Amino acid sequence: MKKMNLFILCILIPFALMAQDAKMDAFIIDLMSKMTLQEKIGQLNLPTFGDFQTGAVTSSNVSEKIRKGAVGGLFGSSSYDDIRAAQELAVTQSRLKIPLLFGLDVIHGLKTTFPIPLALACSWDMPLIEKTARVAAKEASAVGVNWTFSPMVDIARDPRWGRIAEGSGEDPFLGGLVAEAMVKGYQGSDLSQNNTILSCVKHFALYGAAEAGRDYNTVDMSKVKMYEYYLPPYKAAIKAGAATVMSSFNEVDGVPATGNKWLMTDLLRKDWGFNGFVVTDYTAINEMTQHGSGNLQQVSAQALKAGIDQDMVGEGFLTTLEKSLKEGKVSLSDIELACRRILESKYKLGLFEDPYRYNVKKRADTEILTVENRLAAREAATKSFVLLKNEKQLLPLKKSGSVALVGPLADNLKDPMGTWFVAGDWNKSVTVLKGFENVLGSAVKVNYALGANITEDPMLLAQLDLNHTYKKRDRADLIKEAVDAAMKSDVVVAVLGESEAMSGEAASRTDIGIPENQMELLKALVKTGKPVVLVLMNGRPLTLLWENENVPAILEAWAPGIEAGNAVADVLFGDVNPSGKLTTTFPRNVGQIPLYYNHKNTGRPYDGNLKEKYKSKYLDVVNEPLFAFGYGLSYTTFDYSDVTVSSKNLQGTATLIASVTVKNTGKYAGEEVVQLYLSDPVASVTRSVKDLKGYKKISLKPGESQVVTFTITPETLKFYHSDLSYDWEGGEFIFHIGTSSDKVKSVSVNWEK
Ligand code: BGC
């Protein structure tokens, strides 16, 4: 009976979808038949509300343009009233009453600010990540936002790049899973529901590979590297149904992405089957002029013909397409295709049925920043923390005695929110000091001192807004207060790192250490002889050589979001056992960058013998990172058995089962991310030393063991060849299973085609 129902559904659903599509087609054909050329071009225009900017240009006369039908959507506001007013203007005063889209960078939550995306990825917990996006969509849609410019899925191998904070790190496999989870979280299963919104995959493509980690810089890479390492997360997002895509600022293969037909049409639409619309990044069409692609009319025509549908802020489409049409530089069907794709998205959201579907006062008043959502943010934060060091089990701390809590991020409301908290209200965040009070009550005496400003570097001070925290105080006095607090206490917790504006967009750094004045504080604290726990808040991997050698416990807390303090207290005092694993490599120094786990072997790999001269190495630092991809400790310990496989010789489309037994050998219940990597030592294209191919997150009580199995098929063995075909080649394969990319147990199998 069940089978029969399923069979009927399988037949009926495609018909229902086709009927829906036919209905949408008829509606849009009818609407477009009434639209003037100017109104069609108007749909391709995306200004801001006027007071929001992430570039030099601002939008002006927006209301007037809405009335004239010269606006397809607006972005940059989370105000229920402003969104309502703009929609009212569109549906009452424009000639055809076409509703607007409302976009916003809801990157890690709207009002309930979750940890930054890089931190979330370190949870390796896809249901959790999907849930954060779900909560974000619910809150955003309540005020009227129906389109988020997220997920950002750019692979990044360079921690100098500030936007590494916005992505999920360096691995394409994990990046693809995160992309999928976020798209599903935002869009749900039905876009016309009033609490699901359009997602926007960005920045297409390769933005994370900006040379030298300098934002907006040139990108140049081989197609094999592109397909193997950089494109998979975008592709995964498209496969998951992402409704829109944002073009990137950089060039791809010598042509700005925003004007790149191969990228936007051949790859995205023809190969990957994307059928939503593509919006540019902020003024990216205009910037093609700076890239050297021609004047505004030329680049606008190029972008449209490449496959761009909507122009963010720059108004190149609005001001030049009519002329280009007259001159035969674009065709009417180019314009109509873009217009149609945008109208389709509005239709799918249900905006033609009800333009206020996503702007519901009652929901805006009751569904935002709820206790439940804050609890989700607290849980997500604790799961994103990575324990980097814990000598002599200093952590968890006892809930008794006294603690000196020091550092510029210890009693700081704003910076722990992280980059792009856009609509989040930092006055509602929980500082670490407050979190200690919430979790400990009066059980522990907390001696607080600021200890240092975030930075005293004049160049940074000139560019960062630190008014919320900066104290004009003598550096030595601040340190002395902190040392006094330490001397009165059993243990020191130093909360150090970066301000929220030190990572994110246009926030690249060449020195990725803890700022020098904070280091001075840390050194003084260590010198007291008191045990020091370093809690880091930052948006990128930092260089932590001295810290790792001299500080007994280090917890990487990233930018934890609105529940920062509660989450830090939960973990430091043992209510939650940390289980995060790095998704980005921590180098020893900046000179090692780019440093990533899935590198090539080279023809002269270094094998640890410094005496051998002609090897791929440095004279002054080892090749290994300080903390490898996949690394992260727990308060408990896990023991891994050897890897067993179902067969050592396989043929064709066989299936291999690889397994290990993992045992919790410590005193605490804990979660562990069991990771599977693959090496393909001989192939017609050189392969990386290992690639992540799977993982399982398990939970074990003290003394408990679990057999963890991975099912491997030839699909796992495939890779991109020089002609970009995707296939596998028979021969030896090595499977590695372990706790991090650099701590694995391995087994070799022979698998012939
Ligand atoms: C960023 C995008 C963002 C856009 C709109 C740009 O500067 O690169 O990621 O979505 O601004 O705010």
Side-chain angles (χ1 to χ4, degrees):
M1 183 59 194
K2 263 192 186 156
K3 265 193 186 155
M4 191 61 186
N5 282 343
L6 199 67
F7 178 73
I8 293 172
L9 275 180
C10 288
I11 305 242
L12 287 183
I13 287 173
F15 276 115
L17 287 178
M18 269 161 60
Q20 226 174 45
D21 281 358
K23 217 172 133 198
M24 176 173 80
D25 282 352
F27 177 87
I28 289 173
I29 289 168
D30 178 55
L31 177 60
M32 285 183 64
S33 72
K34 296 176 193 147
M35 292 172 81
T36 62
L37 173 66
Q38 290 75 14
E39 283 164 337
K40 287 173 189 161
I41 294 173
Q43 288 301 309
L44 321 192
N45 187 30
L46 180 71
T48 70
F49 273 78
D51 54 0
F52 177 92
Q53 74 190 98
T54 60
V57 182
T58 46
S59 299
S60 56
N61 302 330
V62 178
S63 301
E64 188 46 35
K65 285 173 189 155
I66 295 175
R67 274 192 207 98
K68 280 188 4 210
V71 172
L74 285 181
F75 77 100
S77 175
S78 62
S79 150
Y80 168 87
D81 292 331
D82 291 354
I83 292 175
R84 171 132 307 223
Q87 193 68 304
E88 250 167 34
L89 205 59
V91 300
T92 60
Q93 298 195 29
S94 72
R95 194 179 72 90
L96 288 172
K97 307 188 180 355
I98 299 175
L100 300 172
L101 289 172
F102 292 100
L104 186 67
D105 292 274
V106 185
I107 307 297
H108 48 116
L110 185 85
K111 294 282 179 194
T112 302
T113 309
F114 288 94
I116 51 167
L118 181 62
L120 281 177
C122 293
S123 72
W124 298 55
D125 187 337
M126 297 310 140
L128 178 93
I129 292 173
E130 183 174 334
K131 185 172 162 191
T132 67
R134 195 80 278 284
V135 169
K138 282 186 181 161
E139 293 196 353
S141 58
V143 296
V145 170
N146 45 37
W147 183 21
T148 176
F149 302 142
S150 172
M152 190 282 229
V153 305
D154 305 321
I155 291 295
R157 292 172 163 182
D158 193 330
R160 290 172 297 185
W161 191 49
R163 302 197 82 170
I164 196 170
E166 290 179 57
S168 55
E170 71 195 36
D171 186 68
F173 173 80
L174 195 73
L177 294 178
V178 173
E180 183 188 345
M182 294 195 75
V183 168
K184 284 189 178 156
Y186 291 132
Q187 298 193 173
S189 53
D190 178 3
L191 269 178
S192 71
Q193 294 284 316
N194 76 352
N195 59 14
T196 55
I197 60 178
L198 306 174
S199 67
C200 182
V201 186
K202 67 188 193 185
H203 304 83
F204 196 57
L206 320 182
Y207 183 32
E211 279 178 6
R214 202 183 74 214
D215 212 354
Y216 318 125
N217 204 3
T218 303
V219 171
D220 195 7
M221 92 171 52
S222 75
K223 283 263 166 75
V224 170
K225 181 170 172 183
M226 203 186 282
Y227 274 73
E228 194 71 43
Y229 291 103
Y230 282 79
L231 294 178
Y234 308 106
K235 193 176 176 190
I238 302 303
K239 195 164 165 230
T244 72
V245 167
M246 186 184 292
S247 74
S248 59
F249 287 126
N250 54 280
E251 62 180 60
V252 172
D253 236 348
V255 180
T258 304
N260 194 316
K261 188 162 190 296
W262 169 77
L263 190 67
M264 296 299 168
T265 298
D266 299 348
L267 182 69
L268 181 64
R269 294 190 184 277
K270 293 192 184 144
D271 288 2
W272 295 356
F274 175 66
N275 62 11
F277 75 87
V278 183
V279 64
T280 69
D281 203 341
Y282 200 103
T283 61
I285 293 179
N286 314 56
E287 290 168 30
M288 284 171 63
T289 299
Q290 300 282 355
H291 278 283
S293 303
N295 63 32
L296 187 60
Q297 186 189 352
Q298 286 170 322
V299 296
S300 301
Q302 184 184 336
L304 183 75
K305 290 202 90 61
I308 297 291
D309 303 301
Q310 202 170 48
D311 175 3
M312 187 190 281
V313 178
E315 304 202 337
F317 281 177
L318 195 71
T319 56
T320 70
L321 284 188
E322 221 181 313
K323 184 161 183 259
S324 290
L325 179 65
K326 277 195 200 117
E327 292 169 3
K329 292 182 175 132
V330 300
S331 68
L332 185 60
S333 61
D334 293 330
I335 295 171
E336 286 184 335
L337 190 59
C339 172
R340 191 194 166 97
R341 288 173 181 149
I342 293 158
L343 294 175
E344 280 180 2
S345 295
K346 295 183 178 185
Y347 185 95
K348 287 179 188 159
L349 284 169
L351 288 175
F352 289 109
E353 268 173 30
D354 177 4
Y356 305 111
R357 175 164 290 184
Y358 300 88
N359 185 240
V360 186
K361 188 85 183 113
K362 189 160 170 257
R363 287 190 54 218
D365 290 342
T366 57
E367 291 183 20
I368 291 175
L369 207 56
T370 58
V371 174
E372 194 191 347
N373 291 357
R374 291 196 75 131
L375 278 176
R378 183 169 177 169
E379 187 200 358
T382 59
K383 296 216 162 184
S384 70
F385 296 169
V386 184
L387 183 62
L388 297 177
K389 188 178 172 193
N390 194 19
E391 209 172 77
K392 297 196 196 119
Q393 312 275 271
L394 177 56
L395 292 173
L397 299 174
K398 289 197 298 283
K399 287 186 181 168
S400 60
S402 55
V403 178
L405 178 62
V406 299
L409 289 142
D411 188 24
N412 184 324
L413 286 163
K414 189 177 181 193
D415 295 311
M417 296 280 276
T419 180
W420 270 131
F421 62 82
V422 266
D425 180 353
W426 55 269
N427 284 305
K428 299 211 168 98
S429 84
V430 181
T431 67
V432 177
L433 184 59
K434 184 75 187 146
F436 275 26
E437 194 185 309
N438 293 344
V439 168
L440 303 169
S442 56
V444 174
K445 168 98 180 80
V446 179
N447 299 308
Y448 168 76
L450 175 66
N453 280 309
I454 298 262
T455 180
E456 299 287 359
D457 179 324
M459 192 153 167
L460 287 176
L461 288 178
Q463 296 178 77
L464 302 174
D465 174 8
L466 292 174
N467 286 334
H468 59 284
T469 168
Y470 192 83
K471 296 274 177 307
K472 265 206 158 118
R473 295 267 318 270
D474 183 63
R475 225 158 124 161
D477 280 355
L478 286 173
I479 294 180
K480 183 167 179 311
E481 276 171 18
V483 167
D484 289 348
M487 294 313 291
K488 283 193 285 192
S489 311
D490 303 331
V491 57
V492 181
V493 173
V495 193
L496 308 182
E498 298 182 301
S499 78
E500 56 90 18
M502 283 167 75
S503 67
E505 185 169 357
S508 296
R509 297 176 64 199
T510 61
D511 174 355
I512 57 167
I514 295 175
E516 182 247 326
N517 62 313
Q518 293 190 56
M519 281 307 287
E520 209 181 301
L521 165 68
L522 184 62
K523 287 179 179 168
L525 293 170
V526 169
K527 221 168 145 197
T528 63
K530 297 281 179 174
V532 176
V533 177
L534 172 59
V535 176
L536 292 167
M537 289 193 185
N538 44 284
R540 55 156 61 76
L542 300 175
T543 46
L544 300 167
L545 257 192
W546 188 91
E547 296 84 327
N548 188 46
E549 269 161 29
N550 296 284
V551 183
I554 308 177
L555 180 73
E556 176 53 81
W558 308 108
I562 199 155
E563 286 288 319
N566 286 333
V568 168
D570 285 343
V571 170
L572 289 185
F573 292 93
D575 291 343
V576 177
N577 186 354
S579 59
K581 300 272 190 174
L582 296 179
T583 60
T584 175
T585 300
F586 276 47
R588 287 166 191 272
N589 64 28
V590 171
Q592 287 184 309
I593 298 170
L595 188 68
Y596 45 94
Y597 86 96
N598 43 6
H599 60 86
K600 297 287 180 84
N601 201 36
T602 82
R604 294 184 177 189
Y606 171 60
D607 57 10
N609 180 1
L610 277 177
K611 288 267 153 51
E612 273 198 81
K613 184 170 169 61
Y614 298 103
K615 291 289 184 178
S616 181
K617 65 179 170 69
Y618 301 99
L619 290 177
D620 53 357
V621 69
V622 297
N623 285 359
E624 287 73 33
L626 188 61
F627 301 116
F629 176 88
Y631 172 79
L633 302 172
S634 162
Y635 293 156
T636 194
T637 44
F638 298 101
D639 183 56
Y640 279 68
S641 72
D642 286 338
V643 181
T644 54
V645 282
S646 52
S647 168
K648 287 215 158 197
N649 280 295
L650 297 103
Q651 190 81 40
T653 55
T655 296
L656 176 74
I657 309 288
S659 39
V660 286
T661 304
V662 183
K663 183 172 183 194
N664 181 342
T665 49
K667 288 194 299 229
Y668 300 88
E671 291 184 305
E672 166 72 338
V673 179
V674 183
Q675 301 156 40
L676 169 76
Y677 296 89
L678 167 72
S679 309
D680 183 356
V682 181
S684 58
V685 167
T686 62
R687 309 293 315 281
S688 82
V689 291
K690 57 170 88 83
D691 286 302
L692 182 73
K693 291 292 175 187
Y695 71 90
K696 298 244 164 96
K697 191 163 183 180
I698 58 166
S699 178
L700 293 177
K701 297 200 186 76
E704 198 185 351
S705 309
Q706 187 175 324
V707 180
V708 178
T709 58
F710 293 96
T711 304
I712 299 149
T713 66
E715 202 48 41
T716 310
L717 313 175
K718 289 184 178 171
F719 59 93
Y720 285 97
H721 294 71
S722 299
D723 63 359
L724 300 181
S725 59
Y726 188 60
D727 204 355
W728 62 292
E729 293 168 5
E732 187 196 6
F733 295 95
I734 305 169
F735 294 97
H736 317 269
I737 302 181
T739 184
S740 63
S741 63
D742 64 346
K743 203 162 168 224
V744 289
K745 297 211 167 156
S746 310
V747 65
S748 156
V749 306
N750 193 61
W751 202 330
E752 296 301 337
K753 273 205 122 173

